[in-house]
C-alpha cells in the first residue's frame, strides 16, 4: 500500500483479515507487523481510525527512535554528542522490532509525512507542530542528535533515497 498500488482493495482485504481474525492477529503477529497494520489504518482508515492508529504508530516509532539513540550514545553524553559515525545499521530490540538505520533509514520520513497529512485539515495545529518540530531540530533533543547522523531525518518524503549516494545502501524495493 505504501507504493500506492491497488490501495483501496488491498486495505479492504487487510481490514477484513485483521477485524475478522483479530485474536489470531494479536497472537501471531509480532510488534513490527502490528505497527504496520496501524500504519495502514493511519494511511487509509476513516478519520477516527486514522487518528487513533497514528497515535499508536507514533508512540511505537518514537520508542524505536529513542531506543536507537540509546544504543548509539554513551550514558555520560548529551543527546547532541553522539559519535560522528553511525553505529551498526540495525540491531534487534524486542518482539520483532529493530533500531532505526541512522545512515539511511526512512522511519522518521514516513512518520513526519503521516503527521503532515493528518494536520493539513487543522491549520492552527499544523503551525504549532511546525514550530515545535523546528524547536526539536534546534535543541539538545533525541531528534537533533539523530539528525546529526542522518541528514534527511526531518524530511517528509523519501526522494533522497533516489540520490546516487544512497542507491547502493538502500535496497531497490525501498526506493
Amino acid at each position: 500500500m505504501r507504493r500506492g498500488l491497488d490501495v483501496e482493495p488491498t486495505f479492504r482485504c487487510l481490514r477484513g483479515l485483521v477485524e475478522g481474525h483479530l485474536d489470531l492477529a494479536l497472537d501471531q503477529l509480532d510488534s513490527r507487523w502490528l505497527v504496520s497494520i496501524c500504519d495502514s489504518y493511519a494511511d487509509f482508515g476513516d478519520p477516527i481510525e486514522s487518528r487513533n492508529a497514528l497515535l499508536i504508530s507514533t508512540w511505537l516509532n518514537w520508542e524505536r527512535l529513542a531506543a536507537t539513540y540509546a544504543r548509539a550514545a554513551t550514558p555520560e553524553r548529551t543527546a547532541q554528542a553522539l559519535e560522528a559515525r553511525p553505529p551498526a545499521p540495525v540491531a534487534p530490540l524486542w518482539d520483532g522490532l529493530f533500531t532505526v538505520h541512522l545512515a539511511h533509514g526512512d522511519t522518521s520520513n514516513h512518520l513526519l509525512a503521516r503527521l503532515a497529512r493528518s494536520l493539513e485539515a487543522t491549520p492552527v495545529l499544523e503551525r504549532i507542530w511546525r514550530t515545535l518540530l523546528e524547536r526539536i531540530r534546534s535543541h539538545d533533543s533525541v531528534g537533533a542528535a539523530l539528525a546529526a547522523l542522518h541528514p534527511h531525518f526531518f524530511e517528509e518524503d523519501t526522494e533522497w533515497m533516489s540520490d546516487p549516494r544512497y542507491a547502493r545502501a538502500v535496497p531497490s524495493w525501498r526506493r
Side-chain angles (χ1 to χ4, degrees):
M1 287 187 289
R2 280 187 181 178
R3 296 180 196 163
L5 304 173
D6 298 318
V7 171
E8 290 181 23
T10 303
F11 182 66
R12 279 194 308 271
C13 181
L14 176 67
R15 179 193 293 278
L17 287 170
V18 170
E19 294 176 9
H21 305 280
L22 184 58
D23 289 337
L24 183 63
L26 294 173
D27 185 52
Q28 297 296 313
L29 299 176
D30 66 21
S31 294
R32 181 225 186 267
W33 288 108
L34 295 176
V35 171
S36 184
I37 290 169
C38 288
D39 289 341
S40 296
Y41 273 77
D43 290 342
F44 306 110
D46 70 38
I48 293 171
E49 291 170 332
S50 181
R51 181 197 63 213
N52 291 341
L54 182 61
L55 291 171
I56 295 166
S57 179
T58 300
W59 182 271
L60 268 290
N61 280 304
W62 273 106
E63 165 65 28
R64 291 178 59 221
L65 292 166
T68 299
Y69 165 73
R71 287 188 181 252
T74 54
E76 67 273 3
R77 295 183 174 189
T78 64
Q80 292 187 6
L82 292 174
E83 296 293 330
R85 189 174 53 83
V90 293
L93 293 171
W94 48 268
D95 198 32
L97 295 177
F98 288 82
T99 58
V100 174
H101 195 301
L102 290 176
H104 54 74
D106 62 356
T107 298
S108 65
N109 308 119
H110 288 292
L111 179 59
L112 290 170
R114 288 182 185 106
L115 283 166
R117 281 194 309 269
S118 293
L119 292 170
E120 286 176 356
T122 55
V124 170
L125 294 174
E126 182 179 21
R127 290 209 42 217
I128 293 169
W129 164 245
R130 299 263 175 226
T131 300
L132 291 171
L133 189 60
E134 184 54 40
R135 290 178 184 176
I136 290 169
R137 288 181 190 161
S138 63
H139 286 86
D140 187 14
S141 67
V142 171
L146 296 176
L149 299 174
H150 187 327
H152 304 285
F153 185 83
F154 285 111
E155 293 177 18
E156 293 176 5
D157 62 57
T158 55
E159 291 178 22
W160 59 270
M161 294 174 93
S162 299
D163 185 310
R165 293 176 293 169
Y166 297 99
R168 288 189 310 253
V170 178
S172 60
W173 61 268
R174 294 183 74 186
R175 282 187 241 137

